[in-house]
Amino acid sequence: MNKLFLSLLTFLWMGTNAQSVGVTITNNSQLDYSDYVIEVPWKDIVAKWPSIDTADFKVIDSKTQQEITFQLEYAGNPTIQNLLLQVSIPANKTRSFKLVKGKHAFSPPKTFCRYVPERKDDFAWENDKIAFRMYGKALEGSNEDAYGLDVWVKSTDKLVVDDRYKKNDYHKDHGDGLDYYQVGYTLGAGNIAPYVNDSVYYSKNYHRFKVLDNGPLRSSFQLIYDEWNVDGKPVSVIKTISIDAGSQLNRVTAAYNHTSDAALPVATGLAKRKDPGVLFLNEQNGISAYWEPQHGNDGVTGVATIHLQPIRQMLVTKEQVLTITTTDAQKSITYFTGAVWNKANRITSAHQWFEYVQHFQQKLKQPLIITVQ
């Protein structure tokens, strides 16, 4: 054997017998990323460490040697899709991490979602910042029914959904927040619906669900809606929603099914209050944000939606703020929506909320650079 062939064999042997993998994350933006959840493609990790045991590895910060929390994301598939890491990287900095053999420490979950049959088919979800819910079939047609996305404000990083449903007294603040958000006959805090001939065509409530992942860093699920009439044509939709630890906003993908080949006009909406609030509308960057008026002792809720695709129009009606756009060629649309509470003492003014939303949009357009070594 010549030296070149021996070197090649050694390289191949070392590649297939790797005992660690390096991950480098570079922030080339002018923004600090704080407690930000990133996706590392699992196939890239397996390519470097084919024998990795998913039950026997941990992730170490290369600089501090501290173990960090991770999640294996399946996204509803039978196999792992991504390794999720929550990282903080200052502007124009790079951080390195290593996957090494060893049992990882238990990390309390920072996100959670579940079907709530004991409360008329609610589906509720949360992270360490905020909580939400959508309404199910059992509530449909009752005097409690609503059409939009509901917000449960929080002033704790603990998960509260189960405890609040158990107490069944969540319209009162017991020290960690409450549900005072009014949805009514609107899209609430950023739900989506077809918008045809200057009208919102609300679906009925979701009928079926599927949990895709459930923490600790990301919870995701699907809400499946029965067919309804949109300007004389049948339409149905599946909404895939995910929430990451540390974020005020959800990622929503609405995949529509309808008979037309044309793009479907759709609108996302933010419920508007009678008293004056503060609006921030930026059609060019797809941002619609609203800092609501003070709600007595309950405080102030801020809500927002972000679209990365071109916007047709933004409208302010008596009931809500609408962002109108269309689905793509696959009859689907992805956007971001969420909320914040001033009494959580993280974001306490309209200016801070609008700045947060603009920075969120900038990060979506200039993502972190991830390298697997």
Side-chain angles (χ1 to χ4, degrees), residues 163-365:
D163 186 58
R164 288 190 187 177
Y165 276 115
K166 185 177 180 180
K167 289 179 178 176
N168 194 27
D169 188 27
Y170 43 80
H171 295 293
K172 180 180 178 181
D173 187 357
H174 293 279
D176 61 10
L178 72 159
D179 171 26
Y180 75 88
Y181 188 80
Q182 297 295 314
V183 177
Y185 193 66
T186 74
L187 291 167
N191 202 3
I192 189 169
Y195 186 82
V196 181
N197 295 330
D198 300 326
S199 296
V200 178
Y201 281 81
Y202 297 97
S203 68
K204 293 185 178 180
N205 297 347
Y206 88 89
H207 194 180
R208 289 172 289 147
F209 73 92
K210 181 181 180 181
V211 174
L212 306 179
D213 289 283
N214 215 348
L217 297 178
R218 174 177 294 168
S219 290
S220 59
F221 56 94
Q222 290 181 331
L223 300 179
I224 302 160
Y225 292 75
D226 292 339
E227 191 176 88
W228 77 103
N229 184 297
V230 175
D231 194 33
K233 299 175 182 177
V235 173
S236 61
V237 67
I238 297 175
K239 297 174 184 176
T240 303
I241 301 172
S242 65
I243 191 167
D244 286 353
S247 177
Q248 302 290 155
L249 303 180
N250 304 281
R251 185 180 191 272
V252 182
T253 296
Y256 286 91
N257 185 26
H258 55 93
T259 56
S260 173
D261 291 331
L264 180 68
V266 291
T268 55
L270 303 174
K272 192 164 161 280
R273 308 307 173 197
K274 292 180 181 179
D275 295 331
V278 186
L279 274 174
F280 178 83
L281 304 180
N282 187 326
E283 288 189 7
Q284 183 176 357
N285 289 318
I287 297 172
S288 171
Y290 181 42
W291 187 255
E292 294 193 344
Q294 180 83 22
H295 190 270
N297 293 327
D298 295 330
V300 179
T301 298
V303 289
T305 61
I306 300 173
H307 292 265
L308 297 182
Q309 72 279 9
I311 299 301
R312 281 190 174 185
Q313 186 183 11
M314 288 184 176
L315 293 175
V316 181
T317 73
K318 182 180 178 181
E319 296 81 17
Q320 57 191 328
V321 182
L322 297 174
T323 298
I324 300 162
T325 184
T326 59
T327 57
D328 60 21
Q330 287 72 46
K331 304 180 181 180
S332 180
I333 182 171
T334 296
Y335 66 100
F336 296 82
T337 188
V340 71
W341 189 36
N342 72 325
K343 293 180 75 171
N345 292 320
R346 289 183 293 267
I347 296 172
T348 59
S349 69
H351 172 76
Q352 289 177 341
W353 178 230
F354 300 158
E355 184 178 61
Y356 175 90
V357 175
Q358 290 176 87
H359 287 175
F360 194 101
Q361 187 257 9
Q362 291 171 37
K363 291 173 182 177
L364 293 172
K365 289 194 169 184

Side-chain angles (χ1 to χ4, degrees), residues 101-154:
K101 286 179 65 68
K103 298 293 183 183
H104 64 85
F106 170 76
S107 299
K110 297 180 181 180
T111 72
F112 176 64
C113 67
R114 81 168 176 98
Y115 169 56
V116 191
E118 69 269 28
R119 220 305 292 198
K120 299 184 178 179
D121 291 349
D122 282 359
F123 196 98
W125 66 101
E126 64 180 317
N127 66 1
D128 49 348
K129 306 295 184 185
I130 196 78
F132 304 90
R133 66 172 170 172
M134 288 281 234
Y135 300 109
K137 279 292 176 183
L139 197 71
E140 204 168 87
S142 72
N143 59 4
E144 298 177 274
D145 200 6
Y147 296 87
L149 174 58
D150 190 23
V151 181
W152 282 11
V153 294
K154 294 171 56 171

